[in-house]
């Protein structure tokens, strides 16, 4: 893939959308700048970004995508390098390395009915695709001759598709209920056969059914197995059925109206050559799927009207940021990042009710799933607080519902909890929202839940390793907590997996609990958690090496490569965002810490493709070396983000990769999220105007020359000079003015340590002379 190929295709696609007219309404330069192919990662090994070009509104329950391959853990359903489309999938797979759940699939075809995935692929060319957040179309070669033009849009719980058959044999549409599912990480030889159901109702022109596939069931907590979970669907067509039947693993039973079992689908044929189909989905029942269809896209609604509604929802969000001075390429990178940050967690309530996998029952209230908290507590959640504050009370209430029904706040919820990654960062999410002034959730229950995270060890804490993706165990939560607070002050590496990362992450979560406790005037708790936080943060600091190092139960060092998850001793030595002065002091003071940061970056140790490195470039600013932060941030933005298929260097991780870029482009980043302090970096463009939801006055960030001048010479906030490179949530979240003076060369602003270092160097040089 070259950048030119990608760019040309996109320009082509954009032109087609504009000429389609109906799909470019309401007008929105921001929405037109989204290129849903960015970050697909098609031809990078195992797909860096892993994003799919899906159509759906923000936070949609189901995202619809042309399916080019079977999706499993680490395999997204659309891969840019593929050349055939095997159907259109309503997916619930929230991230590349998570499993799919209860997807619905609609497959147009003509002539011989083909139900098997490997036999139904229709060749297409990217030149014949139009891709937007709200509307997608593609022209495909029908297998028996002629072509099928497929169009797709969606609301949160209903996919809307239209197929136009051009010079084909008899048109049909197949709806798939079940397929072979791989267990664990895409080992194609290790499969299960979930049993789906289908019913065909020619009088209602419906094919409905269920699909219980849930690939992550093997890593769910054993006490809440979501026993009766299923995805349900109800597809309703606008054309009468000419014939119909049920298909199973290549065997077609014409006129059948019911089926259940493995590898199951149903189909209908049509005399018409244009067929419109709406597919309601549900996690509650077929009836609810039908109800969702009637509520969100009632009979008689055109695909154009659906696409307009969904485009309007995106425009309402993306138009909130207006940029001056960005190239078209940078605008695509920026707005596509914005598009990526507003997808997860996703709605799983329907009509005010939701299926809970925790107690296998239907409840009243809001619910969301797809919580990648280890990733998103860093910057994605801060972005949601600013740009989707209307959702945050529901998202927290959903977490509290999980707590009530399963006993714990979510760590990585994918329908139910999954045993992936470490730490109880929901503590940080709740504290940050409360401190930012968000109300509308039960704060006392929230405190009870985070306090439980900080005080109650998981089951069999001294005998279960809680390895990543360990099967057959219960809730992992703060595995190793017994050792932290009962005897050692750290998670012991000879008892628990990922012990170094756990110790440092738990220390941050304690910090979050302390902040929330203080906010609620629970002063004894505030003192306890703050003390434990600041103590455990440095319990792994090996003063002899200057690095963090995991320790064994008896206190001995476990080895420099031991105990880290998705990072190494370099990244994790910087993982004390709540006490950067304490860390700098242990590393010999500010000047020495700056040298350590240089060694980290220049030695190639910074791995921006994974989250533990995300805050590190901003640490320079916190020790009097702001111009170095500015340099590093610009370099990472250039090397790790662009507007191509491979334009995300790491997994999108439910929006965290993109949230880093967006905050960085604005000129500030939440290094310590619950502090509500943002460390100032370097704004990328000439001017950015932001209309935060519910705020009357815009925030106007001016930084003339920003695209060419990466360094900050001075900053003022509402006319007052800012000398410390920190602004608070309160400083900007209700609008105002941030005025940067930019420079092409490093400036002394907020860089006293660098100034001192260079003075010392100069006087040392003079002595040598
Ligand atoms: C890609 O994934 C496979 C299977 O999970 C793994 O064995 C391989 O190491 C991965 N390759 C890269 C480059 O990450
Ligand atoms: C896309 O497919 C190519 C070729 O099979 C593969 O190398 C790459 O890892 C795939 N990308 C994703 C995101 O799975
Ligand atoms: C339709 O298909 C037939 C046979 O495949 C072909 O001969 C004919 O030219 C096609 N017509 C059009 C309008 O493409
Ligand atoms: C299939 O995967 C399951 C879950 O990871 C595992 O327990 C089982 O041993 C695997 N079977 C084979 C044959 O690899
Ligand atoms: C699960 O479904 C079965 C069969 O419909 C039913 O007997 C059982 O009570 C259900 N379990 C729960 C927890 O609802
Ligand atoms: C599906 O059919 C193929 C042959 O067409 C057969 O080999 C395979 O065992 C069948 N699979 C199942 C799960 O029945
Ligand atoms: C774990 O071991 C420590 C030290 O022996 C003990 O104090 C603690 O109660 C144990 N915790 C659990 C949950 O078994
Ligand atoms: C905490 O105490 C302060 C000062 O007494 C008071 O203003 C505030 O309302 C209290 N907050 C809560 C949540 O009780
Ligand atoms: C924590 O509390 C202990 C006991 O009161 C005290 O000795 C220690 O200095 C405190 N540590 C921090 C970091 O506040
Ligand atoms: C380190 O730098 C920070 C930020 O400039 C400053 O506030 C702090 O006083 C410095 N520490 C020392 C010991 O000089
Ligand atoms: C785009 O970004 C990706 C990932 O960061 C990188 O591998 C690729 O080289 C970049 N492409 C261009 C043309 O800059």
């Amino acid at each position: 893939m070259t950048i030119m190929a990608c760019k040309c295709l996109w320009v082509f696609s954009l032109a087609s959308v504009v000429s389609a007219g109906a799909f470019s309404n309401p007008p929105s330069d921001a929405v037109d700048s989204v290129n849903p192919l960015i970050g697909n990662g098609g031809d990078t090994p195992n797909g860096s970004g892993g994003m799919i070009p899906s159509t759906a509104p923000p936070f949609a329950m189901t995202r619809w995508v042309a399916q080019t391959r079977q999706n499993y853990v680490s395999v997204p359903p659309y891969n840019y390098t593929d050349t055939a489309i095997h159907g259109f999938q309503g997916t619930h797979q929230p991230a590349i390395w998570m499993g799919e759940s209860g997807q619905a699939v609609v497959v147009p075809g003509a002539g011989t009915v083909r139900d098997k995935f490997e036999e139904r692929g229709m060749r297409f060319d990217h030149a014949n695709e139009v891709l937007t957040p709200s509307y997608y179309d593609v022209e495909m070669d029908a297998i028996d001759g002629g072509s099928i033009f497929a169009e797709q849009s969606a609301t949160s719980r209903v996919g809307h598709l239209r197929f136009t058959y051009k010079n084909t044999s008899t048109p049909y549409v197949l709806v798939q209920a079940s397929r072979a599912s791989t267990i664990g990480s895409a080992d194609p030889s290790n499969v299960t056969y979930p049993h789906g159901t289908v019913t065909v109702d020619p009088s209602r022109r419906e094919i409905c059914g269920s699909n219980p596939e849930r690939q992550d069931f093997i890593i769910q907590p054993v006490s809440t197995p979501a026993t009766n979970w299923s995805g349900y669907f109800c597809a309703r067509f606008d054309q009468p059925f000419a014939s119909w039947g049920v298909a199973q693993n290549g065997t077609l039973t014409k006129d059948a109206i019911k089926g259940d079992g493995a590898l199951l689908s149903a189909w209908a044929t049509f005399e018409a050559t244009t067929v419109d189909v709406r597919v309601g989905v549900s996690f509650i029942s077929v009836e609810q799927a039908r109800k969702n269809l009637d509520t969100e896209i009632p009979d008689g609604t055109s695909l154009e009207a659906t696409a307009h509604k969904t485009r309007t929802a995106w425009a309402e969000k993306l138009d909130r940021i207006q940029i001056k001075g960005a190239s078209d390429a940078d605008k695509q990178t920026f707005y596509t990042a914005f598009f990526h940050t507003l997808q997860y967690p996703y709605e799983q309530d329907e009509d005010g009710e939701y299926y809970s996998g925790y107690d296998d029952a239907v409840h009243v209230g809001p619910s969301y799933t797809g919580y990648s908290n280890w990733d998103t507590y860093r910057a994605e959640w801060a972005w949601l607080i600013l740009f989707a504050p209307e959702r945050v009370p529901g998202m927290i209430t959903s977490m509290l519902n999980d707590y009530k029904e399963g006993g714990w706040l979510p760590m990585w919820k994918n329908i139910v909890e999954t045993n992936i990654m470490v730490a109880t960062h929901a503590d940080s999410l709740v504290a940050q929202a409360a401190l930012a002034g968000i109300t509308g959730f039960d704060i006392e229950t929230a405190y009870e839940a985070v306090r439980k995270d900080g005080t109650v060890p998981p089951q069999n804490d001294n005998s279960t390793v809680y390895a990543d993706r360990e099967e057959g165990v219960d809730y992992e939560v703060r595995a190793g907590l017994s050792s932290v607070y009962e005897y050692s002050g750290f998670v012991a590496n000879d008892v628990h997996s990922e012990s170094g990362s756990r110790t440092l992450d738990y220390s941050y979560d304690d910090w979050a609990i302390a902040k929330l406790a203080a906010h609620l005037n629970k002063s004894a708790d505030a003192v306890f958690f703050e003390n434990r936080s600041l103590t455990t943060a440095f319990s792994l600091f090996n003063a002899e090496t200057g690095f963090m190092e995991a320790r064994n139960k008896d206190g001995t060092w476990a080895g420099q490569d031991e105990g880290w998850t998705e990072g190494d001793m370099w990244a994790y030595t910087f993982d004390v965002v709540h006490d950067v002065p304490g860390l700098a002091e242990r590393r010999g003071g500010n000047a020495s810490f700056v040298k350590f940061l240089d060694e980290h970056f220049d030695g190639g140790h910074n791995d921006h493709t994974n989250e533990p490195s995300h805050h590190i470039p901003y640490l320079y600013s916190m020790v009097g070396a702001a111009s170095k932060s500015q340099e590093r941030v610009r370099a990472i933005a250039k090397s790790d983000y662009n507007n191509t298929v491979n334009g995300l260097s790491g997994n999108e991780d439910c929006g965290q990769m993109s949230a880093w870029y967006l905050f960085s482009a604005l000129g500030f980043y939440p290094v310590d999220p619950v502090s509500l302090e943002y460390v100032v970096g370097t704004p990328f463009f000439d001017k950015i105007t932001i209309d935060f939801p519910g705020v009357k006055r815009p925030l106007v960030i001016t930084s003339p020359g920003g695209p060419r001048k990466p360094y900050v010479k001075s900053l003022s906030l509402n006319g007052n000079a800012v000398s410390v490179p920190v602004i608070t949530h309160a400083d900007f979240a209700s609008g105002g003015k941030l005025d940067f003076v930019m420079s092409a060369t490093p400036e002394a602003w907020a860089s006293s340590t660098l100034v001192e270092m260079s003075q010392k160097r100069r006087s040392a040089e003079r002595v040598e002379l």
Side-chain angles (χ1 to χ4, degrees), residues 39-215:
N40 176 249
D43 49 11
T44 47
N46 296 354
S48 289
M51 290 307 280
I52 52 170
S54 60
T55 37
F59 310 106
M61 178 167 180
T62 304
R63 311 196 66 80
W64 286 84
V65 63
Q67 190 179 0
T68 67
R69 58 175 69 185
Q70 293 284 29
N71 56 317
Y72 301 115
V73 172
S74 297
V75 185
Y78 180 103
N79 184 313
Y80 188 75
T81 66
D82 291 336
T83 52
I85 290 171
H86 300 247
F88 294 84
Q89 187 185 51
T91 176
H92 304 112
Q93 184 174 5
I96 176 170
W97 73 100
M98 299 304 281
E100 177 64 273
S101 316
Q103 71 283 13
V105 180
V106 176
V107 190
T112 308
V113 174
R114 295 176 173 85
D115 65 320
K116 288 186 165 184
F117 187 88
E118 54 285 5
E119 291 169 7
R120 68 189 196 213
M122 289 164 279
R123 292 190 65 84
F124 77 110
D125 190 315
H126 289 299
N128 296 325
E129 266 181 316
V130 165
L131 301 115
T132 83
S134 48
Y135 172 83
Y136 168 90
D137 75 36
V138 65
E139 179 107 18
M140 305 171 293
D141 296 339
I143 295 168
D144 295 336
S147 67
I148 300 175
F149 179 61
E151 296 168 279
Q152 169 188 286
S153 186
T155 57
S156 180
R157 299 161 190 82
V158 189
H160 197 161
L161 298 106
R162 185 166 63 198
F163 304 120
T164 304
Y165 299 81
K166 300 181 180 170
N167 199 21
T168 65
S169 39
T170 310
Y172 72 85
V173 176
L174 178 99
V175 182
Q176 175 191 292
S178 55
R179 65 171 181 181
S181 177
T182 61
I183 300 181
S185 291
D187 169 4
S189 64
N190 193 356
V191 297
T192 57
Y193 292 96
H195 278 212
T197 63
V198 282
T199 54
V200 183
D201 186 338
S203 66
R204 294 172 95 146
R205 302 174 184 173
E206 285 180 357
I207 296 177
C208 306
S210 63
N211 174 15
E213 177 177 348
R214 188 164 56 87
Q215 294 174 346

Side-chain angles (χ1 to χ4, degrees), residues 518-521:
H519 178 66
L520 298 174
N521 293 338

